[in-house]
Amino acid sequence: MEKKWWHDKVAYQIYPKSFCDGNGDGIGDLQGIISRLDYLKELGVDIVWLSPIYKSPFVDQGYDIADYYAIAEEFGTMEEFDELLAEAKKRDMYIIMDLVINHCSDQHEWFQKALANPKSEYADYFYFREGKNGNPPSNYRSYFGGSCWEPVPRTDLFYFHMFAKEQPDLNWENPKVRQELYNMINWWLDKGLAGFRIDAIINIKKNLAFPDFEPDGADGLAGCWKMVDSVDGVGELLEDLKKNTFQKYDAFTVGEVFNMKEGERSEFIGEDGHFSTIFDFSAHCLSDGAHGWYDAPPLDFKTWRETVTNSQLEVQKCGFEANIIENHDEPRGVSRFLPEYAQNPAGTKMLGTISLLLRGIPFIYQGQEIGMQNAVWNSIEEFDDISTKDQYHTAREAGLTDEEALEVCSRMSRDNARTPMQWSSEKNAGFTSGTPWLKVNANYQAINVKQQEKAPDSVLNYYRRLVAVRKSPEYKNVFTYGTFEPEYEETDTVMAFYRHDGEKRMLVAANFGREAVELELPYPVKNIILSNMGRIHMEDTLKLDSLEVIVLECR
Ligand code: TEU
Ligand code: CA
């Protein structure tokens, strides 16, 4: 396998609005990010992914871009962005941005021109279609609820949007659109950007016949992803994209790809794949409800272990995926993947160790490194997120009480990941001197950076050691290129695997159960590399207390 510059890197996702507020307006910004680069460096971060910072009306928190060439004034200026690039470079860090090109904002000038004159060439930048007897052209439900089709005022046309109605989908079949997007991407790469995280990219290929599907909900609509599922040919678009942009720069690209078809993985992330890598969402998809968050199945340990294991075994046949516990679209991993008795520092370290030492590119989401958890939400009014509001509505429509629907949203809301970063036990968790745009998690006195920096055994200091082990000259190769081999799969509570590169064999083992376990050790222990319980000695058997994780070098 050809080695790539990004194979051995550790990435960190910043959600700019909630990371650090430099000027006291309650909104995180570029100066805030710059002020925390040393913090990220100390954590061992190489690649920083910024969720969208482009000019936007923020209907979907920046995933609705009004100008691809401008920085949102809430976040700062282009000069400040250049400063961030330069400051990152000084520290040998790479910046990647979010690339949202399935759709733009309805405030983008292309869409404004299209609306102003639906006969102009700009209408063809989007999907403008005639309705069927005054009804929308097809029966698709958008990802955020309601029809995918919105009437174009003063016409009998509708435009297509898979997300909010303020996020019209771009017409990727139009070569002019593709060229505009490629120019924009190259413009950013020319600036010195290291690459992109690529948003919702599987959706760019449409079935242009827009056929109806069997309704699958009380609203009489069918999920629009079914159309995406039913169409072939996204690969050609993705190759065209890559060849005209990323490839020329040796850029690092990580695709947000749901609904990949069976057997397509190597086309996406193989040696000459469309992307460097894609996120592994297999564990997250376990809580996909058939109709929404309200019927999300509960998670159980063995299914989770089997899912992660199978994914690792599949992925290593062709490339690298990016491993996450959480991101800005997901609830906090500690609250989601750990049983209640494990939602504490020991359990948090255990989960982090598994995630970071799997084969793949680890992405840490802001706050994960201090063990941030879901917030307590007292009413639906407290949420900001467009998707949460839709899911609340869907749950109520399905017959859940207000209280039950609130419980569902509290458990699943994307806002759980978007509450401000907890820097200290000062007012507003040290995130802002003003009024935060979204409420701060009430637990910030107990969970924050400043306190954890001082405590040698804190989650933060453990994460620092964990990243350092992964990147150490001694173990870097095995943790980057070593194969993944599951172990102790027959147990009820242990998630364990070897990483093996032919030279070194490492064992990572975690006990998710309430009881201690004692297991045979097929390979004698050479060294204890890491322990969340301060264990420095291991006899001939593997002893793990409840919530203990250990990293061993085997003989
Ligand atoms: O997400 C795409 C996506 O399909 C999921 O986010 C999912 O629909 C959503 O989490 C439901 O709650 C990307 C971004 O990550 C997300 O933040 C944006 O809202 C979305 O695209 C639209 O740009
Ligand atoms: Ca600010």
Side-chain angles (χ1 to χ4, degrees), residues 264-278:
E264 268 185 355
R265 185 175 274 111
S266 66
E267 289 164 39
F268 277 78
I269 58 162
E271 198 82 59
D272 289 308
H274 310 315
F275 304 116
S276 311
T277 183
I278 60 177

Side-chain angles (χ1 to χ4, degrees), residues 475-487:
Y475 300 111
K476 189 176 200 146
N477 194 71
V478 68
F479 284 124
T480 304
Y481 296 107
T483 53
F484 168 95
E485 299 165 26
E487 180 61 287

Side-chain angles (χ1 to χ4, degrees), residues 13 15 49 51-52 59-64 98-103 142-144 162-164 167 197-203 256 258-259 281 293 327-330 385-388 390-391 412-414 418:
Q13 180 188 357
Y15 195 69
W49 154 28
S51 272
V59 169
D60 184 21
Q61 293 304 349
Y63 284 89
D64 45 327
D98 222 303
L99 187 61
V100 189
I101 47 178
N102 171 68
H103 47 269
S142 78
Y143 288 114
F144 294 151
M162 298 189 79
F163 292 90
Q167 294 167 295
R197 175 269 186 183
I198 305 168
D199 187 70
I201 193 65
I202 202 83
N203 298 293
E256 187 202 27
F258 290 97
N259 328 60
F281 291 119
W293 293 350
N327 66 24
H328 67 293
D329 288 336
E330 306 288 342
D385 170 37
I386 184 168
S387 179
T388 305
D390 167 55
Q391 291 290 340
M412 298 300 288
S413 177
R414 310 198 294 180
R418 300 176 181 186

